[in-house]
Amino acid sequence: MLNVEGGSLPKATSTGKSRRRCLVLFLILVSCLVFVCLVLCNCTGNRHLTSDRRVRVKSEQSTFQCEAPRSWTGSFEKVRRLPRAIVAGIRKGGTRALLNMIRLHPCVKANRKELHFFDRNATWRQGINWYQNQFPPTSGFEVAIEKSPAYFVTREVPARMKQSLPDVKIIVLLRNPVERLISDFMQLVSKERSQDALDLKTLSKKEIEDLEAAFKKRHFVTNRDGELEVRKDYFSVRLGVYHEFLERWWDYFPKNQVKVICAERFVRSPATVMEDLSVFMGLPRGGGFRWQDQIQFSKRKGFYCPKRRHHPNCLGASKGRQHIRPSPGLLKLLYDYYAQHNEILFRMLEKRCYWSKRGRAYNKQMADPESLFLEQ
């Protein structure tokens, strides 16, 4: 009996262990199947979410299509064409910012380089066919455009442009001449030092004082009476006498072909300026494109920039460089010198540009137009 019972007990114990093992394995298998199902469901759900996100991002980043006007009967073929509009100046007036803003319109195709076709003899001799080939292909209702700030102040340009592009729309961005002069000086100094932008924060007090002394030496002279006056024959100073250059352009082009924009208005109200400029350039309207939807105020920068992925995208350090602050006495001499020339310009334009006499104080509220918009 004992042997029988002793022999039967291990057998029963072994059978129980086998059943428990099978149960455990079954539970593990079921758990694995449940886990796999959950993973598959989760992946499918994520795949749908990813798809939705891609659609949404694509929708946010998609560019508006350039639509031909309903009345359009011209060519739809995309070929290289001569520009229908040119940003002609002025240097350090914000022309890069303006061109980058214009490029946001779907019907504008720009050559972002400064071609200097009309102001340099070497490029002028390349011929009109060479110039035409510098532009991207466009259909008949799209607008090719370029910008070369030297055009506005170069004597030969209006005649050459009239000869080659008699119907072109000319855009000129004019900035407070005192501010333009200071900005021009900072750019020249940066180039002399082989720097993209001269960072005043890295300079010592002595170095900044040396810069201010260099500004005074370049732009002022002492007259026979021992008094300081503006150096009127200095090229950069002459660039601020805008009315003399504008008169030359009006000798060749009708006033309705030359659009003069005050740079400070462009900084304050870019969408309004761009709406006006769209009409001037003859850009097709509609298609859901609105300038006010393309820009956004940058709290970090303190001004408006084009919007990219719901965030403002402004120019980098190479634009909007820090400026020195000439002494109040020097600023007064500059403002007094340009005041008479500005009045002539305003009478010609039959409008005023509000160029403050407070020196750079107004820049606490208003941005340097060269610091706006997309990276070069």
Side-chain angles (χ1 to χ4, degrees):
M1 289 268 320
L2 290 175
N3 289 337
V4 171
E5 290 177 357
S8 62
L9 284 175
K11 186 177 181 179
T13 303
S14 176
T15 303
K17 288 182 178 180
S18 297
R19 289 176 179 175
R20 283 196 295 272
R21 287 195 194 98
C22 291
L23 180 61
V24 170
L25 289 173
F26 176 76
L27 292 175
I28 291 174
L29 179 62
V30 171
S31 299
C32 291
L33 289 174
V34 172
F35 177 76
V36 169
C37 290
L38 289 174
V39 169
L40 290 174
C41 291
N42 189 45
C43 289
T44 303
N46 285 341
R47 188 159 53 246
H48 288 306
L49 288 173
T50 303
S51 177
D52 291 341
R53 178 184 290 181
R54 285 174 182 169
V55 170
R56 184 165 59 253
V57 170
K58 183 178 180 181
S59 175
E60 290 169 355
Q61 295 179 354
S62 62
T63 57
F64 290 92
Q65 296 297 317
C66 180
E67 298 181 357
R70 293 182 179 180
S71 60
W72 178 255
T73 59
S75 173
F76 286 84
E77 182 184 6
K78 285 186 175 291
V79 297
R80 297 185 185 275
R81 305 173 190 271
L82 290 169
R84 288 169 50 189
I86 291 178
V87 179
I90 185 141
R91 190 172 88 183
K92 302 308 299 174
T95 55
R96 171 58 62 186
L98 180 62
L99 180 65
N100 285 338
M101 178 63 85
I102 294 173
R103 289 177 57 245
L104 295 175
H105 196 285
C107 294
V108 171
K109 306 298 179 185
N111 187 316
R112 299 182 66 185
K113 297 180 180 179
E114 295 181 5
L115 297 177
H116 293 282
F117 176 66
F118 295 100
D119 66 292
R120 292 179 180 173
N121 291 331
T123 49
W124 174 249
R125 286 193 292 267
Q126 296 278 353
I128 196 68
N129 291 333
W130 174 89
Y131 182 58
Q132 182 172 326
N133 287 330
Q134 306 310 304
F135 293 91
T138 56
S139 59
F141 54 87
E142 293 177 311
V143 176
I145 188 173
E146 69 129 325
K147 75 102 178 173
S148 294
Y151 287 167
F152 184 62
V153 299
T154 305
R155 182 175 297 277
E156 297 81 9
V157 170
R160 289 176 173 179
M161 197 174 292
K162 182 66 175 181
Q163 172 188 336
S164 306
L165 304 170
D167 299 320
V168 71
K169 298 297 181 69
I170 300 153
I171 303 166
V172 180
L173 189 64
L174 297 183
R175 183 183 181 185
N176 180 332
V178 177
E179 296 296 324
R180 196 217 65 79
L181 183 68
I182 297 171
S183 180
D184 200 22
F185 169 76
M186 295 303 298
Q187 176 172 286
L188 292 173
V189 171
S190 296
K191 288 183 177 180
E192 290 169 1
R193 300 189 178 196
S194 300
Q195 293 177 286
D196 289 335
L198 189 62
D199 188 359
L200 297 185
K201 294 180 181 179
T202 64
L203 302 183
S204 66
K205 182 179 179 180
K206 176 65 166 57
E207 289 174 316
I208 294 177
E209 290 175 351
D210 290 343
L211 277 179
E212 294 171 351
F215 178 83
K216 179 179 179 180
K217 183 177 180 180
R218 291 192 188 192
H219 303 98
F220 298 88
V221 294
T222 303
N223 60 24
R224 294 178 180 179
D225 298 328
E227 298 175 343
L228 203 63
E229 63 180 29
V230 176
R231 186 180 168 189
K232 302 173 185 178
D233 61 342
Y234 186 58
F235 177 72
S236 191
V237 172
R238 286 166 42 216
L239 292 183
V241 185
Y242 301 140
H243 67 90
E244 294 183 355
F245 305 111
L246 185 60
E247 287 173 354
R248 187 185 304 155
W249 282 91
W250 282 359
D251 287 340
Y252 290 89
F253 290 91
K255 294 180 181 180
N256 61 5
Q257 270 184 248
V258 183
K259 184 72 172 179
V260 178
I261 303 171
C262 299
E264 288 71 22
R265 181 170 178 262
F266 175 50
V267 173
R268 288 193 185 105
S269 307
T272 302
V273 170
M274 297 311 300
E275 287 286 354
D276 188 32
L277 198 55
S278 296
V279 176
F280 173 73
M281 294 173 61
L283 294 175
R285 302 178 67 86
F289 180 88
R290 300 193 311 168
W291 285 107
Q292 58 265 38
D293 296 334
Q294 308 304 311
I295 63 174
Q296 185 174 347
F297 186 81
S298 172
K299 293 182 180 179
R300 184 173 63 89
K301 291 284 190 176
F303 45 77
Y304 292 96
C305 300
K307 185 164 55 177
R308 182 181 182 185
R309 297 181 183 178
H310 300 292
H311 298 286
N313 189 27
C314 307
L315 281 169
S318 63
K319 296 294 183 181
R321 51 178 55 84
Q322 290 180 302
H323 295 169
I324 60 169
R325 296 173 181 266
S327 68
L330 296 182
L331 285 176
K332 184 179 185 305
L333 288 174
L334 288 171
Y335 274 103
D336 289 346
Y337 170 71
Y338 283 120
Q340 55 183 332
H341 297 294
N342 292 342
E343 288 302 319
I344 297 174
L345 174 70
F346 299 155
R347 286 196 295 269
M348 291 173 61
L349 297 175
E350 298 181 349
K351 68 176 182 180
R352 302 187 68 84
C353 297
Y354 294 97
W355 293 330
S356 170
K357 292 185 178 180
R358 294 175 294 165
R360 295 196 56 77
Y362 78 88
N363 271 348
K364 295 179 181 179
Q365 301 174 342
M366 218 167 34
D368 179 343
E370 278 291 317
S371 64
L372 296 179
F373 312 123
L374 302 173
E375 185 67 66
Q376 268 193 352

